[in-house]
């Protein structure tokens, strides 16, 4: 949700800022802009639309200078336009600000500033920051930023440059992520690590309430009391190559194909014989976990779907009552959190504002927090008592794919571990489960190798206007996820339902030719699914079935059938989601959609 970058050093400012923005484009792509100080003047280039527009503008009118900031926007306040693009400047063109987040009290601040004769050029909340810093400036940028942030309410990460002090970038973080990259004779800042990796792997993650003064050869941090603080420097493991698309046409395609490898890596890291190893950040003792009264999972979007699958797993295997909630609901509904629950936050980015707020809500009640998170060092990882990393590598495609299957994998392992601690499963059953898990990468690979088959089905249905996705039991959340994948990247309406619910209303929508995707793999609810498919067929729906290899019955039921390898029912979502991801992908491509950058979306949702 908006990406910010900053650079101070001797490299070409245009290419460094642009390269950083390309890496952050997944955070928003409504408009973009950059600013630098050239011969004591603030130079700003900004433009509505995709980053390519900014690249073209910079090719025509490049910047120079040794200090610069940049921004790629996901619009909150003010429509996407040239004026509303960041950087925003004050009246005197002396201060330029890029901002990720929301200033909630910007109306009153703007009113105040207008009364004091400030002239506003945009409809953004961000512009008030530039005017306030300018007004507070008395020869010290750090002081004027400090004074300004004490007036701001909301969540924000900002980077500020000033014509009077072209040797520094002042940054501040409260509620939105910000990382500093440490180079040689140069330093950088960015909303996310990928924007730094081309230059350095040494980073410092800022915490809420911290202010940084970034110079070419010096970095200083200050806490909320204005005291200087020392901060830990970390070395990032991700390589710059892992951020490339390689030979794939889209990141989404690359990330779907990476899934077998990611599960294999997770198996190697986390299964040691018949024991589980969740890594050094998993700090709960077996005793603590054995005494849990229940589990509360809260997450958003795809991560919520994974959490829903987790509910089935924890209840099925470990017999632990599990609640699943959407974070934006959880945080405002005053949930009962009595007893000794474990509160889980599931998140790819580790920065989702609602999930973070839910976590903080639970923390304020002194509950145990476990996060399943992909991005190391992210806010949610840092604020949790324990974390399990997804080990999925950077996920760049806006539609989450590989993080989802890895989330299910972690939930599966955790539910087996809890079963062991709670004695709901014996050693031999766990051994059997582990054997099944180890077969997953090969089975996933086999599905991906049949991509052409799913593409053919996509070709047949590419012009449909409405889809339903149905499943039962543990594949009901898979149906929800399949529908989400399709709608978010193809813009075709799609809804997921528990198959048994169709007759309670949604079946009224079925007419001749209505496409329905049904997950009917071999399971305890297989016969029930067959009946539900029959009900749809009698109303002349076109049923696309995801079935288990060798199932001849399903062949005659579905208009189209895509087979996946046989597997343990509780593991099946990891397999059954893959054809649905591929189906969504191919329909979107066939409809000419911008698969990696679907409209109105951003990868990291750092606003409420
Ligand atoms: C959909 C998608 C989103 C995210 C959601 C939560 O493909 O990616 O629904 O799952 O915004 O994001 P994280 O997992 O980063 O908390």
């Amino acid at each position: 949700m908006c990406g910010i970058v900053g650079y101070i050093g001797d490299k070409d400012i245009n290419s460094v800022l642009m390269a950083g923005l390309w890496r952050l484009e997944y955070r928003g792509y409504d408009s973009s802009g950059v600013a630098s100080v050239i011969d004591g003047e603030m130079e700003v280039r900004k433009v509505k639309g995709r980053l390519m527009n900014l690249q073209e503008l910079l090719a025509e009118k490049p910047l120079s200078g040794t200090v610069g900031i940049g921004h790629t926007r996901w619009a909150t306040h003010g429509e996407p336009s040239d004026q509303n693009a960041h950087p925003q400047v004050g009246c005197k063109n002396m201060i330029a600000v890029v901002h990720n987040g929301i200033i909630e009290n910007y109306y009153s601040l703007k009113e105040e500033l207008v009364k004091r004769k400030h002239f506003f050029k945009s409809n953004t909340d961000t512009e008030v920051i530039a005017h306030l810093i300018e007004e507070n400036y008395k020869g010290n940028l750090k002081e004027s930023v400090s004074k300004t942030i004490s007036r701001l309410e909301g969540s924000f990460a900002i980077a500020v440059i000033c014509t009077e002090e072209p040797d520094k970038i002042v940054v501040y973080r409260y509620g939105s992520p910000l990382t500093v990259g440490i180079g040689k004779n140069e330093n950088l800042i960015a909303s996310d690590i990928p924007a730094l990796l081309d230059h350095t792997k040494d980073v410092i993650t800022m915490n809420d309430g911290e202010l940084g003064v970034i110079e070419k050869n010096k970095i200083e941090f200050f806490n909320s009391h204005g005291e200087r603080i020392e901060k830990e420097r970390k070395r990032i493991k991700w390589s710059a190559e892992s951020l490339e698309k390689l030979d794939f046409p889209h990141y989404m395609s690359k990330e779907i194909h990476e899934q077998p490898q990611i599960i294999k890596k997770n198996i190697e890291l986390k299964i040691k014989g018949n024991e589980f190893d969740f890594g050094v950040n998993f700090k709960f003792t077996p005793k603590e976990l054995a005494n849990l009264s229940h589990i509360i999972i809260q997450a958003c979007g795809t991560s919520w779907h994974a959490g829903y699958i987790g509910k089935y797993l924890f209840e099925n295997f470990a017999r632990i009552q599990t609640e699943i909630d959407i974070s934006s609901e959880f945080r405002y509904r005053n949930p009962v959190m009595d007893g000794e629950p474990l509160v889980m936050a599931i998140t790819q980015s580790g920065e989702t504002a609602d999930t973070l707020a839910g976590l903080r809500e639970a923390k304020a009640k002194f509950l145990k927090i476990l996060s399943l998170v992909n991005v190391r060092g992210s806010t949610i990882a840092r604020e949790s008592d324990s974390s399990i990393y997804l080990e999925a590598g950077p996920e760049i495609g806006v539609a989450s794919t590989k993080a989802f299957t890895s989330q299910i994998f972690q939930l599966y392992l955790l539910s087996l571990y809890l079963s062991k601690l709670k004695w709901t499963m014996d050693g031999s059953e766990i051994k059997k489960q582990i054997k099944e898990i180890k077969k997953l990468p090969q089975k996933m690979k086999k599905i991906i190798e049949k991509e052409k088959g799913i593409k053919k089905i996509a070709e047949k249905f590419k012009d449909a206007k409405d889809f339903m996705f149905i499943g039962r039991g543990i594949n009901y959340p898979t149906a929800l996820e399949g529908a989400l994948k399709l709608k978010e990247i193809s813009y075709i309406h799609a809804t997921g339902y528990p198959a048994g619910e169709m007759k309670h209303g949604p079946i009224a929508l079925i007419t001749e030719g209505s496409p329905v995707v049904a997950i009917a793999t071999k399971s305890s609810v297989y016969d029930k699914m067959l009946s539900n498919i029959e009900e749809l067929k009698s109303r002349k729906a076109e049923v696309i079935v995801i079935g288990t290899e060798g199932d001849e019955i399903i062949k005659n039921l579905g208009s189209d059938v895509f087979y996946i390898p046989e597997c343990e029912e509780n593991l099946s979502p990891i397999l059954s989601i893959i054809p649905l991801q591929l189906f969504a992908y191919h329909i979107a491509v066939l409809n000419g959609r911008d698969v990696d950058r679907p409209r109105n979306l951003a990868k990291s949702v750092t606003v409420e």
Side-chain angles (χ1 to χ4, degrees):
M1 208 114 297
C2 298
I4 66 180
V5 291
Y7 176 74
I8 185 155
D10 297 326
K11 288 182 184 150
D12 172 43
I13 200 93
N14 302 283
S15 41
V16 178
L17 293 178
M18 252 344 277
L21 290 177
W22 279 117
R23 296 280 195 220
L24 297 183
E25 199 196 15
Y26 70 86
R27 301 178 69 88
Y29 28 81
D30 292 332
S31 63
S32 54
V34 289
S36 74
V37 179
I38 308 171
D39 299 331
E41 297 291 325
M42 187 67 74
E43 287 286 331
V44 179
R45 312 274 186 270
K46 52 185 195 169
V47 62
K48 178 185 164 176
R50 294 289 160 93
L51 267 179
M52 191 44 82
N53 300 355
L54 180 64
Q55 185 150 311
E56 283 166 10
L57 181 65
L58 283 176
E60 246 173 67
K61 289 169 75 184
L63 292 177
S64 56
T66 54
V67 66
I69 51 176
H71 188 267
T72 180
R73 180 168 187 245
W74 186 86
T76 56
H77 296 61
E79 58 173 27
S81 68
D82 290 358
Q83 291 92 323
N84 290 337
H86 299 203
Q88 291 290 327
V89 295
C91 295
K92 298 180 193 155
N93 215 30
M94 179 182 103
I95 299 289
V97 178
V98 287
H99 166 217
N100 167 207
I102 290 181
I103 306 303
E104 287 168 356
N105 59 335
Y106 98 96
Y107 285 108
S108 57
L109 291 173
K110 188 169 177 176
E111 227 171 59
E112 212 183 89
L113 285 158
V114 168
K115 273 189 200 146
R116 293 202 294 270
K117 303 275 180 267
H118 282 265
F119 175 71
F120 278 76
K121 299 164 285 299
S122 79
N123 302 317
T124 63
D125 50 343
T126 307
E127 197 180 340
V128 298
I129 309 176
H131 288 274
L132 276 174
I133 296 175
E134 184 182 272
E135 195 174 81
N136 290 327
Y137 189 76
K138 305 280 180 292
N140 184 324
L141 183 60
K142 173 186 165 271
E143 293 307 320
S144 58
V145 172
S146 293
K147 200 165 168 194
T148 299
I149 54 186
S150 65
R151 300 285 325 274
L152 306 178
E153 288 167 20
S155 68
F156 43 96
I158 55 171
V160 187
I161 55 172
C162 171
T163 52
E164 309 306 295
E165 298 178 47
D167 59 338
K168 62 180 66 106
I169 306 172
V170 176
V171 291
Y172 179 77
R173 174 199 161 131
Y174 186 80
S176 297
L178 201 53
T179 304
V180 176
I182 310 156
K184 260 199 196 120
N185 263 335
E186 62 180 6
N187 286 310
L188 304 103
I189 63 105
S191 299
D192 200 357
I193 289 161
L196 305 171
L197 285 183
D198 288 324
H199 306 277
T200 181
K201 285 190 172 185
D202 294 318
V203 304
I204 296 174
T205 310
M206 291 182 68
N207 291 321
D208 280 352
E210 290 175 354
L211 182 144
V213 179
I214 318 299
E215 298 180 27
K216 190 170 148 187
N217 287 304
K218 189 166 134 199
I219 301 174
E220 286 182 312
F221 292 103
F222 301 85
N223 65 16
S224 51
H225 306 294
E227 297 154 351
R228 251 205 85 179
I229 50 169
E230 292 304 320
K231 286 194 59 73
E232 192 194 345
R233 172 182 176 143
K234 284 192 197 125
R235 203 159 168 79
I236 297 300
K237 284 191 190 157
W238 290 352
S239 65
E241 297 77 63
S242 65
L243 304 171
E244 301 301 333
K245 262 197 308 226
L246 306 176
D247 288 336
F248 290 91
H250 300 97
Y251 280 108
M252 184 179 178
S253 167
K254 179 188 174 216
E255 288 161 5
I256 292 173
H257 282 77
E258 280 175 337
Q259 292 177 108
Q261 200 47 40
I262 291 163
I263 297 300
K264 187 165 179 274
K265 180 179 170 193
N266 269 288
I267 290 171
E268 286 161 6
L269 284 173
K270 293 172 184 164
I271 303 180
K272 303 278 158 68
N274 291 319
E275 301 294 325
F276 304 107
D277 179 356
F278 295 105
V280 291
N281 291 294
F282 187 75
K283 295 179 183 140
F284 295 131
T285 63
K287 195 170 166 210
E288 270 177 300
L289 293 173
N291 289 335
L292 292 178
S293 57
H294 59 292
I295 295 175
I296 301 170
I297 304 177
Q298 54 103 20
C300 303
T302 290
S303 297
W304 175 69
H305 295 153
Y308 213 138
I309 290 169
K311 172 182 166 68
Y312 284 86
L313 295 172
F314 292 129
E315 294 191 342
N316 248 343
F317 287 165
R319 308 302 303 151
I320 302 180
Q321 190 196 333
T322 304
E323 274 176 42
I324 168 77
D325 217 336
I326 291 173
S327 303
S328 53
E329 291 299 314
F330 175 77
R331 63 182 292 195
Y332 289 117
R333 77 174 167 81
N334 194 15
V336 178
M337 293 194 244
D338 296 344
E340 286 287 318
L342 172 70
V343 178
M344 284 179 64
I346 304 182
T347 169
Q348 188 285 128
S349 62
E351 301 294 346
T352 302
D354 286 317
T355 311
L356 178 60
L359 177 156
R360 287 179 176 162
E361 186 77 25
K363 239 184 145 174
K365 296 190 163 72
F366 305 103
L367 301 180
K368 292 186 196 68
I369 316 282
L370 168 66
S371 60
L372 304 190
V373 58
N374 197 32
V375 180
R376 282 189 146 72
S378 57
T379 311
I380 290 180
R382 284 180 293 127
E383 293 200 12
S384 303
D385 298 316
S386 277
S387 302
I388 299 176
Y389 287 115
L390 304 183
E391 308 291 354
E395 191 179 65
I396 314 275
V398 165
S400 186
T401 51
K402 60 179 182 173
F404 180 67
T405 41
S406 177
Q407 285 164 347
I408 305 172
F409 177 88
Q410 316 305 329
L411 289 161
Y412 203 85
L413 244 51
L414 194 61
S415 65
L416 290 181
Y417 182 49
L418 291 177
S419 319
K420 192 174 166 185
L421 298 178
K422 291 221 161 230
W423 294 94
T424 52
M425 216 185 247
D426 66 23
S428 63
E429 181 55 22
I430 290 179
K431 241 182 185 167
K432 228 168 89 194
Q433 289 284 344
I434 290 178
K435 215 168 142 198
E436 284 306 305
I437 292 171
K438 288 188 173 167
K439 293 180 192 159
L440 276 176
Q442 201 46 38
K443 292 181 181 177
M444 296 168 86
K445 216 166 142 230
K446 210 167 156 198
I447 298 173
I448 293 171
E449 280 165 4
K450 293 198 298 180
E451 183 170 359
K452 274 197 188 125
I454 204 80
K455 188 174 171 200
K456 235 169 146 183
I457 306 177
E459 275 160 6
K460 181 171 162 191
F461 289 95
K462 73 176 181 12
D463 297 321
K465 299 280 174 267
D466 259 301
F467 279 87
M468 279 197 193
F469 285 70
I470 57 168
R472 272 178 176 261
I474 199 154
N475 274 309
Y476 157 50
T478 318
L480 295 180
E481 174 61 7
L484 175 63
K485 283 292 88 84
L486 182 64
K487 70 184 138 201
E488 69 180 331
I489 58 167
S490 71
Y491 318 146
I492 297 172
H493 178 255
T495 324
Y497 280 108
E501 266 294 293
M502 290 295 283
K503 55 188 165 299
H504 299 289
I507 203 164
L509 291 168
I510 301 295
T511 55
E512 187 168 352
S514 300
V516 180
V517 180
I519 306 164
T521 45
K522 283 289 171 67
S523 70
S524 54
V525 288
Y526 171 73
D527 291 338
K528 307 277 169 218
M529 273 307 293
L530 291 191
S531 311
N532 295 139
I533 295 173
E534 291 281 10
E535 287 154 17
L536 292 165
K537 273 197 60 176
S538 352
R539 280 140 189 107
K540 300 197 167 48
E542 292 251 23
V543 187
I544 305 157
V545 182
I546 307 299
T548 304
E549 273 171 6
D551 182 350
E552 292 296 324
I553 302 174
I554 217 82
K555 210 183 223 167
N556 305 321
L557 263 187
S559 325
D560 295 270
V561 182
F562 186 87
Y563 285 115
I564 63 171
E566 190 170 4
C567 89
E568 144 74 27
E569 177 175 356
N570 290 296
L571 272 178
S572 65
I574 296 189
L575 299 186
S576 54
I577 192 57
I578 299 176
L580 305 188
Q581 292 169 342
L582 288 168
F583 183 65
Y585 172 75
H586 284 294
I587 289 212
V589 171
L590 288 163
N591 279 288
R593 305 298 185 217
D594 192 347
V595 170
D596 286 331
R597 287 169 291 268
R599 71 180 176 213
N600 304 337
L601 293 177
K603 182 85 186 149
S604 188
V605 186
T606 52
V607 294
E608 274 196 53

